[in-house]
Amino acid sequence: MSSSLDSYVSPIGADVPQFDFSVTLKNYDHYFNVDNPNSAINYLETGQEMDIMYGYQTPGSDTIEWIQGNHLWCSEWESDDNTATIRCQDIFRNMDGEYVKGLYSAAGKSYYALAEEILKDAGISEYYIDPRLKKLYSNNPIPRVKYKEALQIIANACRCVLTQSRDGKVQIKSNFMPSASIATNGEETYSNAANVLTDTPKVEYATLAGNYTPTDGTMFFLPRNGKAALTTGYVSKEISGANGTFTKNPVVTITMEAIRAYYGLKLVFGTALPAAFTIRTYKGGEPVNEYPVEKDEINTTSIILRDFDDFDVMKIEFTKTAEPYNRIVLNYFSLSDVVDFTMNRRDMTSSPKAIKQELIKEVIVPCYTYQENNREENLVYEDIDVVAGEVETYYIQDPSYGYKVKLDEVEGKATVVAWSNYFVTIKFNVTGSFKLEVQGYRYKIVEKYATVSLNARGKTVKWKNPLISNTTMANELAAWLADYYTAGIEYEYDTRGNPELDATDIVYQENEFHDGMRVNIYRHTVNFKQAFSGRVTARRIGG
């Protein structure tokens, strides 16, 4: 009869993600009555997995196009004589167990390894963690929090978003545009391929290439030394032949700092245009996607819409020029300027409500350094009755180390069999009533601050992430948060309902004052009641 799927994912990891689904069914012949022993509803169990699929019959055919809405876990159900309602929730609701195995590491431990330990302890076997986290390290112990909160802390520290995929897998994925470097297999002396990554005006130098040099004053003469004195982009060393093909195809290689997926790329060429090229992507050296691009898609400013799965290297091989005896001239390359979905006014069923957020003066991110303490103290002190061989675990509130166990002020009557900075497990060697003392040292924690100033006045945001243990990551996190707070405008509106959209998607949103305005959807609702409807909450990207 109806359904509702509500998803919320914080772009900066401020909260644990939430996905909630409910479906209402017609209770024909009391088929879903809980008291009916033959009822289908009695086959449901708490924690049972459920796939949500949306189907749409395409006009003029009998074909139904299916899209997976999500993969969730059944939480509760109810029925009356007319209807039955089933509710489901995300994988994180079942990760409420407390993680207490946090340990300080003087050598540092990768965030990837920390995330894997938490997921293993929580019993999660299918997941995706951004490989970039293998190169990022923390010395600090994971605090004593729930499993899902520990993952949230890790994701935030690494400028990632914690979410679940539509097939129900936990994901920690980078949520920033990674820096890139560019290389070529040969370029002219006046070429500067590195400039291709910046959106600044480029000049071109006149050459004897076929149908290339205009006489309208837009091109420049090369200096006698053949080196560019003005800002140029990439100009290939190779020149095409009479049929426009190359003896050796020019190749531009872009290497990204982090692995992530994209929906297209933007290429801005000079006066000379290619007639064909092939885009290949790689992840960790392994091929991912390969897309040929033909002449009908190529213009001076070319937007190439393709689904590029996770990659960290892209190679663009140019195979032909539009005019014979020409080089490849590429002035700009971008993956961040391309979005493959636009929320038009006709897609909105209500007027967008724009909400101006509180002005932020500055963002402060502490960096925490752990230092050993020379003062021993009682961490646990209580009267106990024990039996020899009994094992008991005691939890410590503050991160501590160097545990020593005494019964009636005597060592040796109990043994530490397991410990972390937040717990100690003791095996008792004697039977009787004793005064238990667990002695140890609390870490001293020193704070340093990374600060990014945004405005002359406003609120100060102090963002505490206990895993930040070096100033580099503190500065990167502060800059990332500052970028998020810079725009400070959110939008809420009703939509026709788009099952293909996800929370965390970046889309164009039509706006009469800002052309090409991009927003980050962080709350998305899809309702169905014989027709789709929805609601979006999004935050503007950029100023």
Side-chain angles (χ1 to χ4, degrees), residues 404-407 409-416 426-430:
K404 186 191 303 178
V405 184
K406 293 181 179 180
L407 296 181
E409 300 184 351
V410 177
E411 292 187 58
K413 294 183 178 181
T415 308
V416 174
I426 300 168
K427 181 179 180 181
F428 296 98
N429 304 323
V430 293

Side-chain angles (χ1 to χ4, degrees), residues 16-44:
V16 177
Q18 281 190 227
F19 296 81
D20 293 284
F21 176 76
S22 67
V23 59
T24 301
L25 310 169
K26 181 69 175 174
N27 194 3
Y28 288 111
D29 300 324
H30 306 293
Y31 185 62
F32 293 107
N33 277 29
V34 174
D35 296 325
N36 179 0
N38 297 318
S39 169
I41 210 166
N42 288 320
Y43 289 95
L44 295 178

Side-chain angles (χ1 to χ4, degrees), residues 131-149:
R132 184 176 64 93
L133 272 64
K134 293 179 180 178
K135 301 176 182 178
L136 301 176
Y137 295 86
S138 176
N139 302 102
N140 300 347
I142 295 173
R144 186 180 159 189
V145 294
K146 295 178 180 178
Y147 293 125
K148 57 187 178 185
E149 293 168 350

Side-chain angles (χ1 to χ4, degrees), residues 209-221:
N211 291 331
Y212 174 69
T213 304
T215 57
D216 57 2
T218 57
M219 285 193 181
F220 295 81
F221 289 109

Side-chain angles (χ1 to χ4, degrees), residues 461-486:
V461 174
K462 188 174 182 181
W463 194 275
K464 298 181 179 181
N465 188 311
L467 289 181
I468 297 294
S469 62
N470 66 74
T471 53
T472 299
M473 288 193 68
N475 284 317
E476 290 175 343
L477 181 57
W480 183 61
L481 292 168
D483 187 57
Y484 171 81
Y485 285 115
T486 295

